[in-house]
Amino acid sequence: MDIVLGLSMAPSAIRMVLVEGENADGVTVDEDHFAVNVGSHPAALSGPDQLIAAVLGTREGATEAGYHLTSIGVTWTDPGDAAALATALAARKIENVMLVSAFLAAAALAQTVGN
């Protein structure tokens, strides 16, 4: 079965949801959120690194559960984090991830709900 992963990356938290259906038109399979490691600890992962770890873990878990992850969408609020995420995704050769600003994501949601 196809599933879609949606993530929201803010400076203090990452939220994620898995939804059934190639077009995310099914039921919610799972949802989670976690705080972004901030602080001076040298081993603390950045928001983009935590998000990539969540994507890789979710992809692996979905495969093990018999799902096919068809697409990944990430909204962001901080342009610097979005740029760092795009660079990290490319470096790790993680493809099919759409980065969308929170404003454009909200506009798309409003249009979809309005229809």
Side-chain angles (χ1 to χ4, degrees), residues 23 41 62 76 80 115:
N23 298 315
H41 192 279
W76 49 270
N115 289 333

Side-chain angles (χ1 to χ4, degrees), residues 42-110:
L45 293 176
S46 68
D49 286 334
Q50 282 184 278
L51 189 134
I52 288 174
V55 165
L56 294 175
T58 301
R59 181 186 289 166
E60 181 179 329
T63 300
E64 289 173 359
Y67 289 103
H68 176 248
L69 185 58
T70 60
S71 63
I72 302 168
V74 179
T75 64
W76 49 270
T77 56
D78 182 315
D81 281 348
L85 177 59
T87 300
L89 288 167
R92 291 175 176 85
K93 296 183 180 16
I94 300 172
E95 299 175 339
N96 300 323
V97 178
M98 178 183 280
L99 302 178
V100 181
S101 74
F103 174 77
L104 290 177
L109 177 63

Side-chain angles (χ1 to χ4, degrees), residues 7-64:
L7 299 112
S8 169
M9 182 176 62
S12 62
I14 294 174
R15 292 173 177 82
M16 52 190 281
V17 63
L18 275 171
V19 181
E20 285 184 351
E22 183 178 351
N23 298 315
D25 53 359
V27 299
T28 299
V29 174
D30 193 16
E31 60 183 276
D32 199 3
H33 67 279
F34 45 93
V36 171
N37 290 334
V38 292
S40 58
H41 192 279
L45 293 176
S46 68
D49 286 334
Q50 282 184 278
L51 189 134
I52 288 174
V55 165
L56 294 175
T58 301
R59 181 186 289 166
E60 181 179 329
T63 300
E64 289 173 359

